[in-house]
């Protein structure tokens, strides 16, 4: 008899890609598994999940609006009613689908979906990717059967008897990278005998990182240091054209082949989302982290600090990036011993079998 598995969450790639990795691992274990996703209408999971080959149903739900203004105040007053209506929608979906287990990965849809599943006595599991748990998972902790975590620091926020450290699942193209450093540099049209920096600010780009890089990109070119700079679409179109023509500087609005980008780079400059950090640990890629200040509970700074304390990353606060990012990047990329130490420390934090460990917990719960 095939297993029916409900997976809910999304909003960002940091929730969606681990959820898809879990789904793919479950399909390998239960070859005839029937997997259904629940997401939030208008969010990126409604596009990315079907692209990955899975069915998804959308809820009319959004999160708490944190900026204080009249419009957001009105939206926040409506939120309890939207949550109630979303739970009714989930109840209908569960009755029709009859899942053997419901899995939540965080995000707007995950709260009502997992709360209703638990209320209907469906076995439940949630996954927390960050070093500080999101509000949805904190509220669900007492209701679910199992909580899979990535960082030890999260354990104090959850009932210890439910908590299992599994790590954060990542995409197979990153997990199973076979491309060489030389082939990756050739992919971007760069030289094989020069140090290379890669800059990623998420698929939409990161304003502070882009503005900071633009202040010393010409200096990099003059020093013979290569740069792969993913700016995001908006920043790419507004970037000074002469910066795109500099020798050894590859400016792109978006990089589809992240495996190539990681393998080409000697140092990565990145935000500190859970998924990015998991990928950097898995491949052991030295990094300078500029945590986004625009996230709940400043969790990216907490994520970054977990790596800094392990000697696995350099942290530059967002407000200091324009003054300090250049020196942080240049001092790291020019110090081969530090690069080697960071790589080793990152690999010690890696948990490449995270998806399989989560599947193991799912199997236990279903049995």
């Amino acid at each position: 008899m095939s297993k029916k598995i409900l997976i809910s969450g999304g909003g960002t790639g940091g929730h969606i890609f681990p959820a898809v990795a879990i789904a793919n691992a479950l399909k390998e274990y239960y070859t005839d598994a029937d997997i259904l996703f629940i997401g939030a209408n208008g969010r990126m999971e409604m596009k990315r999940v079907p692209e990955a080959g899975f069915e998804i149903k959308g809820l009319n739900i959004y999160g708490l609006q944190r900026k204080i203004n009249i419009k957001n105040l009105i939206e926040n007053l409506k939120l309890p009613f939207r949550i109630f209506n979303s739970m009714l929608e989930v109840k209908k979906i569960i009755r029709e689908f009859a899942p053997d287990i419901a899995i939540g990965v965080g995000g707007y849809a995950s709260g009502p979906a997992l709360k209703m599943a638990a209320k209907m006595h469906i076995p439940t599991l949630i996954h927390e990717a960050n070093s500080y748990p999101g509000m949805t998972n904190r509220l669900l902790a007492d209701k679910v059967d199992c909580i899979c975590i990535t960082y030890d620091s999260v354990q104090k926020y959850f009932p210890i008897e439910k908590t299992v450290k599994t790590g954060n699942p990542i995409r197979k193209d990153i997990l199973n990278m076979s491309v060489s450093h030389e082939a990756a540099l050739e992919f971007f049209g760069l030289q094989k005998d020069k140090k290379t920096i890669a800059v990623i600010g998420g698929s939409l780009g990161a304003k502070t990182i882009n503005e900071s890089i633009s202040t010393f990109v010409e200096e990099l070119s003059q020093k013979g240091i290569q740069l792969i700079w993913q700016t995001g679409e908006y920043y790419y179109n507004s970037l000074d054209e002469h910066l795109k023509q500099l020798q050894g500087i590859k400016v792109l609005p978006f990089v589809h082949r992240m495996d190539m980008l990681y393998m080409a780079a000697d140092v990565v400059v990145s935000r500190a989302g859970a998924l990015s950090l998991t990928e950097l640990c898995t491949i052991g890629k030295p990094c300078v982290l500029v945590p986004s200040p625009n996230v709940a509970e400043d969790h990216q700074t907490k994520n970054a600090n977990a790596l800094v304390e392990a000697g696995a990353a350099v942290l530059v606060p967002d407000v200091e990036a324009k003054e300090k990012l250049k020196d942080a990047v240049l001092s790291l990329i020019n110090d081969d011993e530090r690069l080697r130490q960071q790589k080793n420390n990152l690999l010690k934090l890696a948990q490449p079998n995270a998806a399989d460990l989560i599947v193991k917990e799912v199997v236990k719960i279903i049995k």
Side-chain angles (χ1 to χ4, degrees), residues 9-157:
T12 66
H15 288 139
I16 296 163
F17 292 122
V20 169
I22 293 168
N24 284 325
L26 284 165
K27 287 287 277 186
E28 287 184 10
Y29 187 88
Y30 297 116
T31 53
D32 57 352
D34 188 1
I35 298 175
L36 175 66
F37 279 75
I38 293 180
N41 284 326
R43 304 295 291 184
M44 65 185 291
E45 61 264 27
M46 301 308 293
K47 179 181 179 184
R48 297 299 181 198
V49 169
E51 284 177 350
F54 297 99
E55 183 185 355
I56 186 168
K57 293 183 180 292
L59 305 177
N60 292 315
I61 187 69
Y62 52 78
L64 190 68
Q65 307 300 304
R66 296 173 189 274
K67 287 186 180 178
I68 300 173
N69 56 48
I70 294 297
K71 181 185 175 185
N72 286 348
L73 177 61
I74 293 169
E75 292 302 314
N76 286 339
L77 290 172
K78 292 178 183 176
L79 188 56
F81 301 99
R82 285 187 179 264
I83 292 172
F84 178 76
N85 287 333
S86 292
M87 289 184 67
L88 292 180
E89 290 179 60
V90 172
K91 187 175 184 178
K92 182 181 177 185
I93 292 169
I94 289 175
R95 279 181 171 167
E96 292 174 354
F97 185 61
D100 294 287
I101 190 168
I103 299 169
V105 295
Y108 304 146
S110 186
L114 271 289
K115 187 176 179 181
M116 180 52 72
K119 191 174 181 181
M120 296 176 72
H121 306 293
I122 303 297
T124 48
L125 176 150
I126 57 174
H127 176 258
E128 179 53 64
N130 290 297
S131 61
Y132 183 82
M135 184 187 296
T136 298
N137 281 347
R138 294 202 308 274
L139 292 172
L140 289 170
D142 290 332
K143 299 174 177 64
V144 299
D145 297 304
C146 179
I147 304 165
C148 296
I149 64 171
T150 302
Y151 295 96
D152 291 323
S153 59
V154 177
Q155 206 154 26
K156 61 188 175 187
Y157 300 102

